Amino acid sequence: MNNENGTLFAPSSGRTKEREKRRSPWWEVWRRLRRNKAAVAGMSVVILLVVVAVLAPVLAPYDPNQTNIKMRLQGPSSEHPLGTDNFGRDMLSRIIYGSRISLYVGFVAVGIGAVFGGILGAIGGYYGGRLDNFIMRCMDVLLAIPQIILAIAIVGALGTSLLNLMIAVGISQLPRYARVVRASALTVRGQEYVEAARAVGASDARIILENILPNCMAPIIVQSTLGVAQAILSAAALSFLGLGIQPPTAEWGSMLSSGRQFLRNAPYLTFFPGLAISVVVLALNIFGDGLRDSLDPKLRQ
C-alpha cells in the first residue's frame, strides 16, 4: 500500500506487535540471555560437560581404572595427553569419567535440596504464623553451620558412600531453597488467583502445588543453577578429605587428594583435576548470574 507521498509503508508493523505479545515469557528470557555473551559461554561449557559425561565410554581413550605400573607417573604425551597417575592409569580418561560423578552428585544433591527445601519454604510462606516461624528457625540453625562442616557431620554419621554424599550435600543446601521459596510464597499467597482457588474449595495442598510452587520457579531455577556449582565443589572437597567417593572410582576431588603427594615430581596430577573443577564451577556461576539477570522483571525491555 502507498501513503499520500506515494511511498510504500509496512502494514505488518501491527502484526509484529501482536506477535511479540503472543510470545511466551520463556522466549523473552531466552532472548535476553542470548545477549549476555558471558552467560552463553558458560552455558556452552555446561552443555559440553553434559555431552562429555554422557559419551564418556566413547570419548575416553582408556578404561579409567586400567592400571599399568610400567607407565606410572608419565607426563603428558601423544599416547596419554594428560599423563598417567601413580598406578599408570590414563588421566584424561579418569577426568572424563569423573565428570559423570560430579554432574550426578551435583544434580541429585540440588534436586534433594530444591524439592524438600522448596516444599518447606512453600508451606511456611503459605500458612505463616507459628509453623512458618518454626520452619525458618530450623533453617536458621542449619545456616548457622558452615555448609561444608554440616556435610562432613552428615557423612560422618551416615558413612562414606555415593548416596550418603549426595544426601549430605543436599541437606546442606536445604536452607537456601527454603528461604527463596518462602519469600516468593509470601508474595504469591495474596494474589487473586490464589484467593479464587481457595474460594472454589481447593485444598491447601493443591493450592501449594498448583498455584504457589509454579510461580516460584524462576528463583528456584536460578538458585539450582548456582547450587549445582556449589554441590560439585562440596562433593570434591569431601572426596578430597576422604569422606566422599572412594578410590578407585574416578572423581575429581579424590584425584586431587591422590595427586598431592606427587606435587614436586608430577604436578599435572593435581593441576588437571583442579582445572576441571575450576572451569565447571566458574561456567555454572557465570551461567547462573546471566540467567538471574534474564529472569529479573526489572530488566525487561
Side-chain angles (χ1 to χ4, degrees), residues 160-198:
T160 56
S161 69
L162 177 60
L163 177 62
N164 293 340
L165 174 64
M166 293 185 294
I167 292 174
V169 176
I171 292 176
S172 67
Q173 293 199 359
L174 275 177
R176 297 185 178 185
Y177 296 96
R179 295 175 71 91
V180 167
V181 174
R182 174 184 177 269
S184 299
L186 288 173
T187 303
V188 172
R189 70 176 183 178
Q191 298 296 322
E192 294 181 356
Y193 56 85
V194 176
E195 295 295 337
R198 191 181 293 113

Side-chain angles (χ1 to χ4, degrees), residues 238-260:
L238 290 173
S239 297
F240 180 83
L241 296 173
L243 298 174
I245 308 301
Q246 300 300 307
T249 303
E251 197 276 334
W252 294 340
S254 62
M255 292 169 67
L256 276 174
S257 180
S258 301
R260 60 180 174 173

Side-chain angles (χ1 to χ4, degrees), residues 95-111:
I95 288 177
I96 290 175
Y97 271 87
S99 65
R100 281 185 155 188
I101 299 294
S102 295
L103 280 180
Y104 185 52
V105 172
F107 284 118
V108 173
V110 164

Side-chain angles (χ1 to χ4, degrees), residues 28 31-32 35-36 289-301:
E28 293 296 328
R31 182 179 62 85
R32 290 191 295 274
R35 295 178 179 177
N36 190 331
D289 288 340
L291 190 60
R292 179 181 56 198
D293 294 341
S294 301
L295 289 168
D296 189 351
K298 297 178 182 178
L299 300 178
R300 292 180 181 175
Q301 298 177 354

